[in-house]
Amino acid sequence: LLEIYLNFNQIKKIESYSFYKVNRVSFLDLSHNNLKNFENNTFTGLYYLENLKLSSNLIEYIGNFLFDSLTSLIFLYLEDNR
């Protein structure tokens, strides 16, 4: 399984289905960016994702079904957002 580190990159937006073809990811770090909103299909395809770090962003809105496809998710980090 893969680990992806995209922290400290000033990312503002992630399109729906951005991770659809990289489904073997177990760890995804998007912390310390400028992310504000997430659409429901942002993380679709990350079936093996266990750790998701979204801390230290500017998150204001999360769709009702954003995490529905993350059936293996164990740890979700959301601290230091709005």
Side-chain angles (χ1 to χ4, degrees):
L1 297 176
L2 301 172
E3 296 183 359
I4 297 177
Y5 295 87
L6 296 172
N7 50 323
F8 295 100
N9 279 292
Q10 300 179 4
I11 299 170
K12 292 182 181 178
K13 181 172 173 67
I14 298 176
E15 299 294 330
S16 293
Y17 300 101
S18 291
F19 301 102
Y20 188 70
K21 293 189 179 188
V22 287
N23 58 6
R24 302 293 294 176
V25 175
S26 65
F27 181 90
L28 177 59
D29 189 348
L30 291 165
S31 64
H32 300 276
N33 281 294
N34 297 314
L35 296 166
K36 288 185 180 182
N37 303 307
F38 293 93
E39 296 179 21
N40 286 330
N41 297 315
T42 302
F43 301 115
T44 297
L46 294 174
Y47 305 112
Y48 300 100
L49 189 67
E50 296 178 350
N51 289 280
L52 177 57
K53 295 187 79 172
L54 299 173
S55 54
S56 299
N57 278 288
L58 305 172
I59 298 174
E60 298 173 341
Y61 173 78
I62 293 177
N64 291 336
F65 306 105
L66 178 65
F67 305 114
D68 280 4
S69 66
L70 301 179
T71 56
S72 297
L73 190 66
I74 298 171
F75 299 104
L76 173 63
Y77 303 91
L78 290 168
E79 64 273 2
D80 296 322
N81 280 288
R82 289 189 176 180

